[in-house]
């Protein structure tokens, strides 16, 4: 439904008209229409198609023309036209609670404020109190609104899996006018969530780069349009994208600088100072002389380091290791020989086992692990014992026809309320591997249940160990450090669930697991063969967790795979207390 998108635009039009001091009736007509559209339960696009816009109260000819134009062309010319008449950054300022268009106009006329930073500064000045209608109380309210706005904005991070396709589309769109172009910032570091997106490029045609950028068809708002920098907001996700154009001569230095992280850069700058050098987004300088800047390699070479993989640039020891020549050899996509967490149509997946096998072969995999749900997860098509046996027979049959790949008979088996697994041991014994997952009782003894489950010699992997969903939920009440410790002691592997909204374990916990010699496993949790590509997100987490291929079960040939249940036979004594 486009209802709220259209309501937002009408609201903004009202704000701008108010800022410009226009007719109050006109303004209130926009506000009323906006509210009614936002609250209307039917899809406005459907109404428009049936010529029934008048069903929504408060929609006159003027606004109905706007809506018509919106659905025909994707934008409203009146909106574009009045946007030209105000400073570009105002649209953002107008979103601040307790700061209405009228006050904004006062502040603008008197102090020429244009940006969030300007506003922050002005609110500190005693002169602000001399404006008509401005008292301590009002200033305090605006200050609070501003703080709320800033903290909300900081919270609004989107998942890497959502950001990546948006960025690659923009990069493709910009390529024709760029000599080189690359994402930088947190996206290039493949961080699990992204605040805003930074893109850097060089071009022979500097003038036209920003122009083309702000005309990107997915743009819902242009925030800045300068000679060397542009900022837009893209529609669906209200995600901010900054593009910077630099001279080819500084491209490497700028790429290094804007990739960050800030902490990594600070450490590098300290190193530079110690050497009597200066490093900035323009290059590395010895006095006035530029000694590096064209490529990132040149920049790192000044410090006698190889280019540090962007995923490591978080100041977690990577600079020290690089100086010693001891950076890890990070796992790469080509090292991945298979996926472990795939649901077939025997539980809640969409594809048949044969389709899954064909897809895996097309990706060059040497194995694929089918991990359907167990009987207690009824909501997810959990398999009865009979159905599990039937599925295993099906796998045997398909395996005969596809000898080029090993199909592992697995299960995503619920860890029950008492820490036991959802099938009897003699059934688990028929599987090649078992992922144990918590799917209910998120706040009941999760740590203890997981540890007890690890005492079962048939358990190989703990699935999505913290249970968090990036966009929706914190995760279980679990002491993840303890789970990692016991995984280390029992040889159980921990999953990096690569489903875009999970990325669970995350990079920090992967680092901890690595220190305890815990083996990790990337599982896409694919419920459709299109989701196999989430493996790249899991790989990003693995790389950010400093993993080398020997630490990842996905990188072993099935014949040599160190699944631990072949080794561990006995329960570990001090787990008994969790029984
Ligand atoms: P985000 O957007 O919150 O996901 O995280 P980043 O890392 O993309 O941060 P952002 O967009 O604020 O800045 C992009 C990069 O620019 C950042 O990673 C490093 C560089 N940068 C920004 N501000 C500073 C700064 O004050 N000092 C230094 N050394 N670098 C900075
Ligand atoms: Ca960023
Ligand atoms: Ca940025
Ligand atoms: Zn699960």
């Amino acid at each position: 439904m486009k209802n709220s998108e259209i309501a937002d635009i009408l609201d903004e039009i009202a704000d701008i008209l108010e800022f410009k001091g226009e007719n109050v009736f006109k303004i209130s007509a926009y506000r009323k229409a906006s509210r009614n559209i936002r609250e209307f339960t039917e899809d406005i696009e459907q109404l428009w198609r049936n010529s029934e816009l008048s069903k929504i109260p408060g929609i006159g000819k003027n606004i109905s023309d706007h809506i018509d134009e919106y659905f025909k062309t994707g934008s409203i010319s009146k909106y574009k036209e009045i946007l030209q008449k105000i400073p570009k950054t105002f649209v953002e300022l107008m979103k601040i609670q307790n700061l209405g268009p009228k006050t904004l106009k006062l502040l603008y006329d008197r102090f020429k404020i244009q940006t969030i930073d300007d506003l922050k500064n002005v609110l500190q000045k005693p002169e602000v109190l001399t404006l008509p209608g401005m008292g301590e109380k009002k200033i305090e309210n605006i200050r609070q609104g501003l703080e709320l706005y800033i903290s909300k904005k900081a919270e609004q991070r989107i998942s890497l899996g959502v950001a990546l396709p948006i960025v690659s589309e923009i990069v493709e769109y910009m390529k024709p006018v760029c000599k080189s172009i690359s994402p930088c910032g947190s996206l290039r570091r493949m961080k699990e969530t992204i605040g805003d997106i930074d893109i850097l490029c060089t071009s022979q045609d500097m003038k036209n780069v920003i122009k083309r950028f702000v005309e990107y068809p997915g743009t819902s708002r242009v925030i800045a349009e300068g000679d060397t920098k542009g900022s837009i907001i893209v529609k669906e996700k209200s995600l901010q994208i900054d593009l910077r154009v630099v001279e080819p001569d500084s491209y490497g230095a700028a790429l290094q600088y804007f990739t960050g992280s800030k902490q990594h850069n600070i450490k590098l700058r300290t190193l530079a100072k110690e050497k009597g050098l200066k490093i900035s987004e323009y290059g590395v300088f010895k006095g006035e002389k530029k000694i590096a800047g064209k490529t990132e390699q040149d920049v790192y070479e000044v410090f006698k380091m190889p280019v540090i993989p962007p995923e490591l640039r978080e100041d977690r020891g990577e600079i020290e290791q690089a100086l010693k020549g001891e950076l890890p050899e990070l796992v790469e996509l080509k090292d991945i020989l298979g996926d472990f967490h795939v649901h077939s149509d025997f539980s809640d997946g969409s594809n048949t086992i044969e389709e899954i096998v064909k897809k895996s072969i097309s990706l060059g995999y040497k194995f694929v692990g089918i991990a359907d749900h167990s009987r207690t997860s009824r909501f997810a098509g959990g398999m009865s014992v009979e159905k599990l046996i039937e599925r295993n027979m099906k796998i045997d049959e398909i395996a005969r026809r596809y000898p080029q790949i090993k199909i592992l008979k697995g299960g995503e088996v619920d860890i029950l309320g008492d820490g036991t697994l959802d099938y009897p041991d003699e059934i688990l014994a028929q599987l090649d591997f078992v992922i144990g997952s918590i799917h209910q009782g998120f706040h009941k003894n999760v740590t203890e249940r997981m540890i007890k489950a690890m005492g079962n010699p048939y358990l190989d992997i703990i699935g999505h160990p913290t249970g968090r969903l990036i966009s929706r939920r914190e995760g279980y009440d679990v002491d993840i450090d303890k789970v990692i410790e016991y995984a280390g002691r029992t040889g159980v592997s921990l999953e990096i669930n690569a489903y875009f909204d999970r990325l669970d374990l995350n990079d920090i916990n992967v680092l901890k697991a690595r220190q305890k010699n815990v083996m990790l496993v990337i599982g896409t949790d694919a419920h459709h063969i299109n989701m196999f590509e989430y493996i790249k997100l899991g790989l990003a987490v693995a790389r950010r967790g400093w993993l080398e291929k020997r630490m990842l079960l996905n990188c072993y040939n099935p014949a040599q795979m160190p699944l631990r249940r072949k080794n561990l036979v006995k329960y570990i004594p001090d787990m008994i207390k969790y029984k």
Side-chain angles (χ1 to χ4, degrees):
M1 291 225 309
K2 295 275 167 58
N3 295 37
S4 65
E5 214 168 300
I6 292 174
D8 285 347
I9 297 177
L10 297 180
D11 247 347
E12 270 176 33
I13 295 179
D15 283 344
I16 298 168
L17 294 177
E18 196 171 345
F19 175 79
K20 293 174 64 233
E22 297 214 7
N23 182 308
V24 286
F25 295 107
K26 199 162 149 193
I27 297 166
S28 91
Y30 276 101
R31 293 228 192 275
K32 219 184 278 165
S34 162
R35 197 175 50 240
N36 292 339
I37 290 170
R38 201 183 297 281
E39 288 168 2
F40 210 73
T41 47
E42 288 173 53
D43 183 352
I44 190 166
E45 191 164 3
Q46 202 61 45
L47 293 174
W48 168 73
R49 235 182 252 127
N50 302 339
S51 313
E52 290 176 339
L53 284 175
S54 56
K55 269 173 100 177
I56 309 177
I59 305 253
K61 166 97 174 73
N62 184 26
I63 288 174
S64 130
D65 284 349
H66 289 344
I67 297 170
D68 188 51
E69 192 189 356
Y70 180 86
F71 284 120
K72 280 186 181 146
T73 68
S75 62
I76 299 174
S77 46
K78 164 91 179 178
Y79 174 59
K80 281 192 172 164
E81 177 196 309
I82 60 174
L83 267 181
Q84 302 295 321
K85 297 183 183 154
I86 57 159
K88 289 217 163 68
T89 47
F90 270 34
V91 180
E92 199 177 12
L93 288 168
M94 281 173 180
K95 295 215 149 61
I96 297 170
Q97 255 184 47
N98 307 332
L99 175 66
K102 281 202 204 93
T103 314
L104 185 57
K105 179 154 173 54
L106 280 174
L107 291 168
Y108 176 69
D109 289 345
R110 175 77 176 272
F111 301 106
K112 298 279 161 270
I113 67 157
Q114 297 247 15
T115 65
I116 298 271
D117 279 343
D118 295 346
L119 175 66
K120 217 159 138 189
N121 291 335
V122 149
L123 291 179
Q124 322 266 358
K125 292 188 180 164
E127 297 99 283
V128 78
L129 284 164
T130 63
L131 288 176
M134 277 290 201
E136 291 282 3
K137 181 87 188 109
K138 182 149 187 188
I139 303 276
E140 186 47 39
N141 285 342
I142 298 174
R143 240 185 238 132
Q144 277 174 10
L146 180 64
E147 259 167 44
L148 187 74
Y149 179 83
I150 292 172
S151 72
K152 257 204 187 146
K153 206 175 151 181
E155 266 171 34
Q156 263 179 15
R157 302 183 64 83
I158 72 164
S159 156
L160 177 65
V162 176
L164 278 173
I166 298 177
V167 176
S168 47
E169 200 183 303
I170 294 178
V171 166
E172 282 310 308
Y173 167 82
M174 289 305 298
K175 263 185 187 161
V177 295
C178 296
K179 219 171 97 187
S180 318
I181 180 162
S182 168
C184 36
S186 51
L187 190 103
R188 184 163 178 242
R189 304 197 311 279
M190 299 290 271
K191 210 172 148 167
E192 61 198 19
T193 64
I194 309 290
D196 69 356
I197 290 175
D198 310 278
I199 303 177
L200 184 74
C201 71
T202 62
S203 171
Q204 279 104 340
D205 187 10
M206 299 278 272
K207 266 209 323 279
N208 278 315
V209 173
I210 300 299
K211 187 165 170 295
R212 180 173 171 85
F213 178 61
V214 299
E215 282 167 5
Y216 174 65
T219 307
S220 66
R221 235 177 16 241
V222 177
I223 293 183
E225 182 181 354
D227 291 338
T228 58
K229 191 185 162 191
S231 280
I232 60 174
I233 303 279
V234 290
K235 258 180 211 150
E236 326 95 278
K237 304 293 170 199
S238 61
L239 184 64
Q240 181 171 333
I241 310 198
D242 298 341
L243 176 77
R244 288 183 185 81
V245 201
V246 297
E247 298 289 346
D249 191 40
S250 341
Y251 184 68
L255 190 58
Q256 196 290 318
Y257 180 87
F258 291 111
T259 295
S261 67
K262 198 168 162 181
Q263 270 62 34
H264 176 91
N265 287 354
I266 289 172
K267 178 132 310 158
L268 215 55
R269 207 179 314 143
T270 315
L271 275 186
K273 258 193 211 135
E274 285 167 11
K275 288 179 175 284
L277 304 171
K278 256 174 118 172
I279 180 169
S280 71
E281 64 264 50
Y282 302 106
V284 186
F285 297 86
K286 190 169 204 162
E288 295 293 295
K289 192 171 173 261
K290 182 154 158 177
I291 58 171
K294 204 169 160 65
T295 69
E296 221 175 25
Q297 192 178 355
D298 298 343
V299 173
Y300 281 102
E301 221 163 65
V302 169
F303 301 96
K304 305 214 160 38
M305 283 185 238
V307 174
I308 298 179
E311 293 94 328
L312 297 185
R313 301 184 196 172
E314 299 290 344
D315 190 21
R316 293 177 182 155
E318 72 282 3
I319 290 182
E320 293 79 353
Q321 295 299 101
L323 286 171
K324 284 192 275 180
E326 287 174 14
L327 281 176
E329 255 184 66
L330 296 185
V331 53
E332 294 176 31
L333 191 58
K334 67 170 171 41
D335 300 325
I336 304 273
L337 304 184
D339 193 339
F340 277 92
H341 193 155
V342 181
H343 294 268
S344 78
D345 61 2
F346 274 87
S347 62
D348 61 346
S350 310
N351 296 99
T352 62
I353 292 173
E354 185 160 8
E355 286 163 345
I356 291 169
V357 166
K358 280 186 175 162
K359 175 75 183 186
S360 303
I361 292 171
S362 80
L363 292 172
Y365 284 173
K366 297 271 187 290
F367 70 88
V368 59
I370 314 284
D372 285 305
H373 285 288
S374 63
R375 52 192 180 182
T376 296
S377 276
R378 226 168 285 137
F379 64 93
M383 298 179 297
S384 63
V385 168
E386 293 72 32
K387 188 130 187 215
L388 173 69
I389 291 170
E390 185 194 327
R391 188 206 63 167
N392 286 354
M393 279 160 52
K394 183 78 187 175
I395 291 180
D396 286 335
E397 179 215 313
I398 293 170
R400 280 192 290 276
R401 286 191 278 126
Y402 296 94
Q404 64 270 57
I405 190 166
K406 172 80 182 164
I407 313 171
L408 296 173
K409 295 172 192 151
E412 186 182 18
V413 178
D414 279 29
I415 298 174
L416 302 177
D418 61 357
T420 59
L421 296 174
D422 197 15
Y423 292 121
D425 283 1
E426 60 271 22
I427 298 299
L428 297 176
Q430 297 175 28
L431 295 172
D432 292 314
F433 73 97
V434 171
I435 303 175
S437 292
I438 299 269
H439 284 137
Q440 68 279 130
F442 293 175
H443 303 286
K444 281 192 218 129
N445 305 328
V446 176
T447 313
E448 287 78 2
R449 285 154 67 202
M450 281 186 183
I451 290 174
K452 184 169 166 196
M454 287 187 219
N456 185 323
Y458 294 110
L459 181 90
D460 302 288
I461 301 161
I462 295 278
H464 42 73
T466 73
R468 68 97 174 250
L469 293 177
I470 292 173
S471 66
R472 284 182 285 151
R473 146 181 123 202
E474 285 285 339
Y476 327 128
D477 276 336
V478 63
D479 182 347
I480 193 66
D481 292 338
K482 208 155 193 182
V483 170
I484 290 170
E485 185 199 324
Y486 273 88
R489 287 163 66 171
T490 55
V492 165
S493 307
L494 296 179
E495 181 180 56
I496 298 171
N497 188 298
Y499 182 72
F500 80 99
D501 206 21
R502 288 193 182 270
L503 302 185
D504 173 16
L505 294 179
N506 67 6
D507 54 354
I508 303 272
N509 287 324
V510 170
L511 272 168
K512 288 183 187 166
R514 181 185 189 272
Q515 277 165 5
K516 301 274 179 193
N517 294 315
V518 173
M519 192 60 96
L520 290 127
V521 178
I522 302 177
T524 57
D525 213 342
H527 285 72
H528 187 284
I529 51 174
N530 289 344
M531 299 182 186
F532 269 73
E533 65 179 278
Y534 290 150
I535 200 86
K536 292 180 190 141
L537 302 179
L539 184 72
V541 176
R543 287 171 61 89
R544 288 179 57 83
W546 292 51
L547 294 191
E548 304 190 33
K549 66 179 184 181
R550 67 189 159 83
M551 304 163 183
L552 205 56
L553 225 44
N554 307 66
C555 304
Y556 287 80
N557 268 304
Q560 288 112 34
M561 202 173 281
L563 284 168
R564 64 130 206 167
R565 37 198 271 265
K566 293 174 189 88
N567 316 325
L568 181 90
V569 198
K570 279 219 162 102
Y571 288 82
I572 298 217
D574 69 345
M575 288 183 168
I576 301 292
K577 69 172 187 244
Y578 291 113
K579 272 194 167 175

